[in-house]
Amino acid sequence: MREQEMADRLEIGELLARYAYAVDSGDWERLDLVFTPDAVIDYTSAGGIRGGRDEARRWLAEVLPAWPGRQHLIGAMSVRFDGDEAEVVASFTDTLAPTRRTVAADTPGFVRGGGWYRHRLVRTTYGWRSRELVEEQTWRTVR
């Protein structure tokens, strides 16, 4: 593996972590550091919307406060480079909790799930950014 490819893979891993942190912390402005202004984001497999970056930001800000305890974990990542573009498939699991306090695991309101994030990335002057995200939810449990 070439040095540039290793650096790109590290930067892409940071991009995915930045996305997870933005969603989990509610720092919606941080999504500007993840997506291009014209990005298309598709959450329909999880019952969400398909729209542009700003539309997705508004939707997340409206829906996710119902679960103040949020944590996304990004796992296995596959990257295929094509010049200044890349296709990334990364596994994820997420937990949405009705509170940030310590509660019993069988407390109603917990949502857990997982699947794959499929990103189409482009190298910009500011680093790698996602031009498209398709969330492919493969499982979900609700308590």
Side-chain angles (χ1 to χ4, degrees):
M1 191 176 305
R2 297 182 333 272
E3 194 172 311
Q4 181 61 54
E5 183 176 341
M6 288 187 291
D8 288 338
R9 287 176 180 276
L10 287 172
E11 185 179 341
I12 290 168
E14 174 65 25
L15 179 81
L16 298 177
R18 194 178 309 133
Y19 169 77
Y21 181 78
V23 171
D24 292 344
S25 69
D27 184 355
W28 311 120
E29 297 306 312
R30 187 178 293 259
L31 293 175
D32 291 352
L33 302 174
V34 175
F35 295 103
T36 61
D38 62 343
V40 175
I41 303 164
D42 185 344
Y43 295 123
T44 56
S45 75
I49 65 160
R50 180 182 188 279
R53 180 183 72 186
D54 294 337
E55 185 179 4
R57 180 191 348 254
R58 285 189 299 273
W59 180 79
L60 290 167
E62 179 183 320
V63 171
L64 288 182
W67 296 280
R70 300 187 291 271
Q71 185 175 36
H72 285 73
L73 301 175
I74 308 294
M77 179 178 74
S78 173
V79 181
R80 189 176 64 77
F81 292 100
D82 184 12
D84 286 337
E85 297 185 1
E87 290 185 15
V88 176
V89 178
S91 65
F92 75 90
T93 58
D94 61 11
T95 300
L96 305 175
T99 180
R100 288 184 169 210
R101 295 185 323 244
T102 302
V103 296
D106 62 351
T107 299
F110 278 95
V111 179
R112 293 182 180 91
W116 300 95
Y117 286 136
R118 297 181 181 278
H119 284 274
R120 292 173 48 86
L121 304 182
V122 61
R123 187 191 313 269
T124 72
T125 56
Y126 303 106
W128 288 98
R129 296 293 186 267
S130 181
R131 174 183 292 159
E132 179 183 46
L133 166 61
V134 177
E135 178 180 327
E136 183 183 311
Q137 181 180 304
T138 58
W139 65 277
R140 177 80 55 206
T141 63
V142 178
R143 183 78 164 126

